[in-house]
Amino acid sequence: MKTNSLLLLPLAALGLSACVFEQKVGGPCSYSVAFGNAKVTAIYPNYSVLTSEGLEYQVPIKLFTLAPQLEHEYKITFEKITKGSCTPVVVKAVELVST
């Protein structure tokens, strides 16, 4: 019984050493809300690419009320990062403007 206890002690210590939590680097991120118009330039199974003024936005298909079509124009609502090192742009909503 004593031998079993001695074998379990190093295993328990090894298990606990694997539970070291890393501290988050960079702190919290802040975003500002922005709006703009963009056209669909590519369509993939899970997202569409909308382009405006040389910038590309990957928009999840689930944000569209109808299936997106190439060259259709949408008003996009997005959050643009102002502080931190998170995702630089997050598209929140799309609304069809013209076909």
Side-chain angles (χ1 to χ4, degrees):
M1 182 71 150
K2 190 173 186 179
T3 306
N4 287 342
S5 298
L6 291 174
L7 288 175
L8 290 177
L9 186 58
L11 289 175
L14 181 63
L16 289 174
S17 68
C19 293
V20 175
F21 296 100
E22 292 184 31
Q23 191 170 13
K24 195 175 186 179
V25 177
C29 294
S30 298
Y31 289 89
S32 64
V33 176
F35 306 92
N37 284 7
K39 284 191 175 185
V40 176
T41 55
I43 301 170
Y44 298 97
N46 295 324
Y47 67 94
S48 287
V49 177
L50 277 71
T51 305
S52 175
E53 298 177 10
L55 299 174
E56 290 187 343
Y57 304 93
Q58 290 186 2
V59 182
I61 293 294
K62 66 182 179 182
L63 291 182
F64 292 89
T65 53
L66 298 172
Q69 300 290 319
L70 287 175
E71 296 300 315
H72 284 189
E73 187 175 354
Y74 288 85
K75 175 183 176 186
I76 57 174
T77 304
F78 58 95
E79 293 180 341
K80 191 173 180 181
I81 194 163
T82 57
K83 179 182 173 188
S85 59
C86 301
T87 304
V89 175
V90 178
V91 177
K92 292 299 201 175
V94 293
E95 180 183 334
L96 183 63
V97 174
S98 67
T99 57

